[in-house]
Amino acid sequence: MQLTIALAQQQYHINTDFGHSLAIAVDFHHSKNQPNHFNASPALASPMQAAGFIGDTEQGGSCNVNELTLNPHCNGTHTETIAHICDNSNALAISISALELPPLMPCPLISITPVAATDCEDQYSPSFLPQDKVIDRAQLEKQLVPYLEQQLQCLAVRTLPNNNDKCQAHYNESNQPPFFTRDAVLLLNERGIEHLILDIPSLDRLNDEGLLTCHHLFWQVMEGSHQPSPNSLINKTITEMAYIDNTIIDGFYFISLQTPAFINDAAPSRPMLYQAKLIADTAS
C-alpha cells in the first residue's frame, strides 16, 4: 500500500509493503537465542495440559496450544508506559492498552557511538562510575539539528558498534550497556519527543540504586516519587531492546509502534519503520 502523508508544509510518500521490523524475535524454546537483561528468567513455552488434552501435536495432541512465560522488560523488545515507575492505583499511570497511538508517526533514525562518562560534561544520579558509557546531550544535539519539531514525535537511536549479537546479548555486571545522561533526556523533552525507540535494554544504568533518573525525567515524574502529577507526560513511551539492522540507513522515517492491548506497564512490541520520501514542500 502506498500512502501520501502531509506533515506541516511537507508531503511524504511511504510504501507500507517495505517496512523494517525493529523487534527482536523471541525464541521461547531456546533461551540461548534470547536477549536478557538483569539476569531475569528466560521466556519459556510449554504445551497446555488439561483433562487429558495436551497442546502439542508431536505428543499426540490435536493442535498446538502453548502457555507462555515472559518478562516483557527483560526478554526482548518491549514498550513501556509511565506506569513503569508509578503506582498502578493512580489513574494517570496509564497501561499499554490505554495508549493513544496514531497508526504512523514521524521518526528520525540516528546512530550514536556512546562515550566514556568521564569524557562528557553531563550529569547523572547516582554519580557516574569509571566504566560507564553514555549517550550525552552534545551527541544528541548535533544529530537532531536537521529535524524540525514536527518531525520529532518519535526518535529511534541505534548505538554503535552495531551487530546482531545484540539479539542474544545478556546484559549484566560483566556486560553493562550504555545509558542516557540526565542532560540528554532533558534535551529529548525540549525537542518534544514523545516516543523513544532504543536498542539498549534501559534508558538508565543497569544498577542505578533504583532511582531510574532518566525515566522520571522523560515522563516528568518527580524523582523519588511514584505519583504522576498533572504536569507529567502520560502518553509518552519508551521502547527498549530493539534491534536496528545496519542495512537501515540513518534518516527520516515514519513508524508504527505496534503493541498488544495489555493492562500492564509494558508489553512486547514490534516497531515497524517505513522510509519517508519527500515529494512536496509547499514552504519553498
Side-chain angles (χ1 to χ4, degrees), residues 216-265:
H216 280 77
L217 288 173
F218 185 72
W219 281 302
Q220 293 193 5
V221 175
M222 184 180 298
E223 293 179 45
S225 172
H226 297 296
Q227 297 296 326
S229 72
N231 295 324
S232 296
L233 305 173
I234 66 172
N235 202 56
K236 294 174 70 173
T237 68
I238 303 172
T239 298
E240 297 165 333
M241 219 183 290
Y243 177 66
I244 307 168
D245 193 272
N246 288 323
T247 59
I248 310 171
I249 63 172
D250 285 7
F252 184 61
Y253 295 81
F254 283 85
I255 197 166
S256 173
L257 191 54
Q258 301 173 5
T259 61
F262 282 14
I263 301 178
N264 195 50
D265 71 291

Side-chain angles (χ1 to χ4, degrees), residues 22-251:
L22 307 188
I24 296 172
V26 180
D27 186 345
F28 285 92
H29 299 284
H30 301 92
S31 60
K32 67 179 181 179
N33 294 334
Q34 302 172 13
N36 187 279
H37 186 224
F38 219 71
N39 293 317
S41 299
L44 298 172
S46 58
M48 174 186 172
Q49 300 185 53
F53 170 80
I54 185 165
D56 185 347
T57 57
E58 294 184 1
Q59 297 186 53
S62 59
C63 57
N64 293 309
V65 182
N66 279 321
E67 295 178 343
L68 305 179
T69 302
L70 174 73
N71 180 335
H73 289 283
C74 299
N75 294 146
T77 309
H78 62 278
T79 297
E80 56 196 33
T81 71
I82 191 173
H84 182 44
I85 58 169
C86 292
D87 294 344
N88 291 326
S89 57
N90 193 302
L92 295 177
I94 63 173
S95 69
I96 287 288
S97 65
L99 285 172
E100 298 179 0
L101 297 175
L104 289 167
M105 298 179 286
C107 181
L109 166 62
I110 62 175
S111 295
I112 287 180
T113 302
V115 298
T118 52
D119 292 339
C120 78
E121 299 180 356
D122 291 6
Q123 302 296 316
Y124 189 71
S125 298
S127 299
F128 289 128
L129 298 174
Q131 68 270 26
D132 287 344
K133 296 281 189 180
V134 297
I135 293 96
D136 67 2
R137 182 185 178 104
Q139 292 173 292
L140 279 178
E141 210 159 30
K142 182 178 180 181
Q143 293 269 20
L144 297 182
V145 166
Y147 299 104
L148 303 173
E149 263 59 31
Q150 59 264 31
Q151 295 176 300
L152 287 170
Q153 186 173 8
C154 306
L155 177 67
V157 180
R158 172 171 44 203
T159 55
L160 302 175
N162 183 60
N163 56 63
N164 60 12
D165 289 350
K166 290 178 181 177
C167 296
Q168 297 88 29
H170 284 212
Y171 299 100
N172 48 42
E173 291 290 347
S174 61
N175 182 28
Q176 296 201 47
F179 57 95
F180 279 61
T181 67
R182 290 175 56 98
D183 305 78
V185 175
L186 289 173
L187 176 66
L188 296 176
N189 287 348
E190 291 167 17
R191 294 301 307 268
I193 292 163
E194 300 175 26
H195 306 284
L196 188 60
I197 298 90
L198 308 174
D199 67 354
I200 52 179
S202 180
L203 189 62
D204 278 292
R205 191 166 71 195
L206 177 68
N207 290 312
D208 67 344
E209 301 175 13
L211 297 179
L212 277 80
T213 298
C214 290
H215 285 75
H216 280 77
L217 288 173
F218 185 72
W219 281 302
Q220 293 193 5
V221 175
M222 184 180 298
E223 293 179 45
S225 172
H226 297 296
Q227 297 296 326
S229 72
N231 295 324
S232 296
L233 305 173
I234 66 172
N235 202 56
K236 294 174 70 173
T237 68
I238 303 172
T239 298
E240 297 165 333
M241 219 183 290
Y243 177 66
I244 307 168
D245 193 272
N246 288 323
T247 59
I248 310 171
I249 63 172
D250 285 7

